[in-house]
Amino acid sequence: AGPVESRNEAAMSELVPEPRQKPVVPMKPMGINASLLGYIGIDTIIEQMRKKTMKTGFDFNIMVVGQSGLGKSTLVNTLFKSQVSRKSSGWNREEKIPKTVEIKAIGHVIEEGGVKMKLTVIDTPGFGDQINNENCWEPIEKYINEQYEKFLKEEVNIARKKRIPDTRVHCCLYFISPTGHSLRPLDLEFMKHLSKVVNIIPVIAKADTMTLEEKTEFKQRVRKELEVNGIEFYPQKEFDEDLEDKTENDKIRQESMPFAVVGSDKEYQVNGKRILGRKTPWGIIEVENLNHCEFALLRDFVIRTHLQDLKEVTHNIHYETYRAKRLNDNGGLPPMTVETEENHESNL
């Protein structure tokens, strides 16, 4: 029995491979997450960036769209606490309503706390004021795309400017008439066409003409109509970068939008304080009081929390979409500028 067992053991030892030695894993260098031995100064990067951007300044281009008489100019003046609108920049009171939609851009430099911002307000007089308003959004869409084209031409030049002038529309405030019923077909058509090319923020103008119940109902109805028609306004759901963004933006989308606002550039004395407001026979509507209207919410949203994001979404989403389509239509080549076309013709 002894030789048979030893034979079986030999056969099994042939079948079972010897356990391989595990490769030696190099030890992680000690202190990879340890505290620094001394001060390096990487925390000054933020300060370096701040100094650099403070020197160059900022661009912000805001467009206002809506029928005449909805207080667009007044609201923009109230938003920036300065006379920045077309009407306050030498507007003639005898000026008639234009027969077609015009685009008027007015630039200003605003400075606050050492921060300079080149603000451009783009007005669209004549929008929605005609008997036949068919396709009246086309000049506006054309203007927005022209600014993308201008930026693209500068970008693809061989000798590029160190800082390309940014005339692209970062934000479009769309003024909804406070009817209390529903959106007009014109409102839906405009937002359907333009929401794909620009950041649209819907605003219910002259909200003091509605009661609180009417205002709440109208806001809900507008939100529902936009959802049913598949119209996405800013901040768009797909551009939320993380959970914190999503939570913050969901609150804005579900509660604040569209902002029901009142604008005023007149000051009144209330309880010993100077406040912006509108005087009525039964009291003063305080523009910056959240119990009276949502102007403060709109200002905080556009300027204090989302201004940089509006610029980034314009550059990374809307402009990139335009650029990709433009280059794709051109066979992947950058669009020829006027100069290169002339040079090309002279070479032939």
Side-chain angles (χ1 to χ4, degrees):
V4 174
E5 279 175 15
S6 61
R7 222 178 295 133
N8 286 346
E9 279 171 16
M12 280 179 75
S13 66
E14 282 171 23
L15 289 168
V16 179
E18 282 183 30
R20 286 183 187 173
Q21 280 192 331
K22 285 183 180 178
V24 180
V25 178
M27 278 181 70
K28 284 185 180 176
M30 288 301 288
I32 203 157
N33 292 321
S35 58
L36 301 170
L37 298 173
Y39 179 68
I40 300 171
I42 54 172
D43 60 348
T44 62
I45 291 172
I46 302 296
E47 184 57 24
Q48 291 170 42
M49 288 165 73
R50 192 187 75 84
K51 279 184 179 174
K52 198 105 176 162
T53 48
M54 288 275 280
K55 276 181 191 172
T56 52
F58 301 88
D59 290 310
F60 188 62
N61 308 318
I62 185 166
M63 179 181 261
V64 287
V65 182
Q67 276 182 297
S68 296
L70 290 179
K72 300 187 295 295
S73 301
T74 307
L75 188 83
V76 173
N77 288 344
T78 318
L79 205 57
F80 294 98
K81 292 195 174 178
S82 185
Q83 301 293 307
V84 292
S85 72
R86 172 180 62 99
K87 290 198 177 181
S88 56
S89 303
W91 176 69
N92 178 8
R93 289 209 168 271
E94 292 169 10
E95 190 178 305
K96 290 179 183 172
I97 293 168
K99 290 196 173 142
T100 55
V101 179
E102 292 177 10
I103 312 284
K104 293 192 176 183
I106 289 132
H108 301 268
V109 174
I110 296 178
E111 192 171 345
E112 185 181 43
V115 177
K116 276 187 185 175
M117 186 169 80
K118 186 175 181 289
L119 172 72
T120 304
V121 178
I122 302 125
D123 201 353
T124 54
F127 177 85
D129 292 333
Q130 313 307 317
I131 294 167
N132 180 7
N133 290 306
E134 195 180 355
N135 299 343
C136 66
W137 60 82
E138 282 180 355
I140 297 168
E141 188 174 18
K142 184 171 175 269
Y143 176 85
I144 292 166
N145 284 330
E146 274 171 2
Q147 307 321 304
Y148 291 147
E149 181 67 20
K150 203 184 281 185
F151 196 89
L152 178 60
K153 280 185 175 177
E154 286 290 349
E155 209 177 42
V156 299
N157 274 344
I158 294 165
R160 288 199 294 192
K161 289 176 183 170
K162 191 179 176 185
R163 192 162 176 263
I164 299 169
D166 193 359
T167 59
R168 297 169 298 181
V169 179
H170 300 125
C171 169
C172 172
L173 291 180
Y174 186 77
F175 285 69
I176 297 163
S177 190
T179 59
H181 296 292
S182 59
L183 290 172
R184 298 169 306 160
L186 175 63
D187 301 329
L188 292 168
E189 281 299 312
F190 176 88
M191 288 191 264
K192 205 177 277 183
H193 281 85
L194 273 289
S195 61
K196 296 178 180 72
V197 296
V198 73
N199 295 318
I200 288 181
I201 297 174
V203 167
I204 297 168
K206 298 198 170 180
D208 52 330
T209 59
M210 293 187 284
T211 65
L212 294 175
E213 291 80 14
E214 284 171 345
K215 186 173 78 175
T216 307
E217 279 177 30
F218 189 44
K219 275 166 72 88
Q220 288 171 350
R221 199 172 291 135
V222 168
R223 277 199 294 270
K224 188 74 186 160
E225 283 191 49
L226 292 172
E227 193 184 323
V228 167
N229 286 277
I231 295 165
E232 285 240 331
F233 48 80
Y234 178 85
Q236 298 91 329
K237 285 177 191 171
E238 66 263 38
F239 306 149
D240 293 342
E241 288 183 6
D242 51 39
L243 193 62
E244 190 189 341
D245 269 10
K246 189 182 184 304
T247 310
E248 189 186 338
N249 289 341
D250 274 347
K251 197 178 175 197
I252 292 161
R253 285 187 284 256
Q254 289 158 19
E255 293 173 26
S256 305
M257 290 282 185
F259 295 96
V261 296
V262 177
S264 173
D265 42 19
K266 288 190 178 138
E267 285 190 337
Y268 294 95
Q269 195 91 13
V270 176
N271 301 328
K273 283 183 182 175
R274 300 288 293 170
I275 59 109
L276 287 167
R278 280 169 64 82
K279 197 171 185 180
T280 66
W282 48 88
I284 289 169
I285 296 155
E286 297 171 34
V287 166
E288 295 180 272
N289 186 338
L290 281 174
N291 295 322
H292 292 202
C293 80
E294 293 166 357
F295 169 79
L297 287 177
L298 173 69
R299 184 201 48 216
D300 289 358
F301 174 63
V302 173
I303 299 169
R304 296 182 184 174
T305 61
H306 284 69
L307 189 142
Q308 185 56 31
D309 190 60
L310 280 161
K311 292 181 64 162
E312 282 173 15
V313 171
T314 300
H315 182 76
N316 299 330
I317 311 294
H318 298 306
Y319 170 67
E320 277 302 310
T321 306
Y322 177 86
R323 181 181 167 277
K325 186 181 180 300
R326 189 79 173 78
L327 295 182
N328 195 40
D329 291 350
N330 217 32
L333 294 167
M336 291 175 85
T337 60
V338 177
E339 289 170 29
T340 51
E341 281 170 9
E342 284 170 2
N343 294 341
H344 180 66
E345 282 168 15
S346 62
N347 291 337
L348 289 173

